[in-house]
Amino acid sequence: GNSVTQMEGPVTLSEEAFLTINCTYTATGYPSLFWYVQYPGEGLQLLLKATKADDKGSNKGFEATYRKETTSFHLEKGSVQVSDSAVYFCALSDQSNTGKLIFGQGTTLQVKP
Amino acid sequence: GAVVSQHPSRVICKSGTSVKIECRSLDFQATTMFWYRQFPKKSLMLMATSNEGSKATYEQGVEKDKFLINHASLTLSTLTVTSAHPEDSSFYICSASISGAYNEQFFGPGTRLTVL
């Protein structure tokens, strides 16, 4: 079945450091891929998405590229801020017409000043 | 725009009682709503998908008689945990989308259920 695997957290970085959160997936066909962010006390928000191979999603300085050959969708940011501290979820939506999302386990990012 | 609310934000109940959680789309009509369960340090697990006016579709292993879902209008879905037990204690999250396929899901802030 379809699944998503994220790197274990928590990830602790100093402000302005480079961020990578790894995400790999297993799926049949051509899923759409997403990164969601959950700030403390809030609901999940869509951060970025990519719907086909080699697409790059980007938002708020974050980027992720849909790599079919490595079945990966790693999240990167060149310079993190304290306000980026949150839980990040990688997810996929398969090609069925249901809209279902399958989530990774989430990675907590803590950015220290 | 695209705000989803949940009520209550947290609830504590005694074992054997039933608890209802509401999920509302505040500024859009949601044809599809999803209910997730999140365990500590674990992923969100999809419990069921509900479409307005029809019966919910439950994921494998989710007891439909225990987790009753009603999607009576385009802005409201409810999850009722019947005869709750301590193992039902969890964080329940809903999301809503305008239509099922390939459209963004908007998530509620979640409800923390603790069953004593």
Side-chain angles (χ1 to χ4, degrees):
Chain A
N2 297 339
S3 66
V4 177
T5 302
Q6 288 180 237
M7 63 187 289
E8 290 275 345
V11 174
T12 303
L13 296 173
S14 297
E15 206 164 23
E16 300 183 2
F18 184 86
L19 168 71
T20 300
I21 300 178
N22 289 339
C23 171
T24 56
Y25 67 90
T26 302
T28 54
Y30 302 91
S32 294
L33 301 173
F34 306 83
W35 277 100
Y36 282 84
V37 58
Q38 186 177 30
Y39 297 104
E42 299 183 16
L44 275 74
Q45 301 172 25
L46 178 65
L47 180 60
L48 52 85
K49 68 178 181 182
T51 57
K52 62 182 188 295
D54 299 326
D55 267 3
K56 178 187 284 187
S58 61
N59 185 25
K60 299 181 181 179
F62 291 90
E63 293 183 340
T65 301
Y66 189 142
R67 301 281 188 204
K68 193 172 189 305
E69 63 276 14
T70 54
T71 61
S72 65
F73 194 54
H74 304 321
L75 182 68
E76 297 181 336
K77 186 173 185 181
S79 176
V80 294
Q81 305 300 312
V82 173
S83 57
D84 294 325
S85 299
V87 182
Y88 292 82
F89 292 91
C90 185
L92 71 81
S93 176
D94 64 21
Q95 291 180 291
S96 66
N97 196 32
T98 63
K100 290 183 188 179
L101 289 173
I102 296 169
F103 285 89
Q105 65 267 45
T107 302
T108 300
L109 169 66
Q110 184 176 22
V111 180
K112 296 187 174 179
Chain B
V3 178
V4 175
S5 69
Q6 280 185 243
H7 178 80
S9 58
R10 59 177 66 228
V11 56
I12 300 172
C13 69
K14 292 183 179 180
S15 187
T17 60
S18 294
V19 174
K20 180 185 284 188
I21 302 169
E22 292 185 348
C23 176
R24 293 182 185 273
S25 57
L26 299 184
D27 49 6
F28 67 101
Q29 293 187 325
T31 53
T32 305
M33 287 185 169
F34 302 86
W35 286 96
Y36 297 85
R37 183 172 176 176
Q38 185 179 30
F39 296 94
K41 298 185 179 180
K42 296 281 187 182
S43 178
L44 279 73
M45 181 194 78
L46 179 65
M47 300 174 65
T49 303
S50 73
N51 293 293
E52 186 265 340
S54 61
K55 289 184 178 180
T57 303
Y58 290 81
E59 295 300 301
Q60 195 170 13
V62 178
E63 299 176 60
K64 60 181 67 175
D65 293 331
K66 181 166 189 61
F67 299 99
L68 301 179
I69 291 172
N70 184 283
H71 192 164
S73 77
L74 286 171
T75 59
L76 174 65
S77 177
T78 60
L79 167 68
T80 301
V81 183
T82 61
S83 186
H85 289 93
E87 58 266 28
D88 299 324
S89 298
S90 194
F91 196 56
Y92 293 88
I93 301 174
C94 75
S95 71
S97 68
I98 296 172
S99 65
Y102 302 115
N103 278 335
E104 182 177 351
Q105 290 184 28
F106 301 96
F107 286 80
T111 297
R112 171 73 60 192
L113 170 63
T114 303
V115 185
L116 303 176

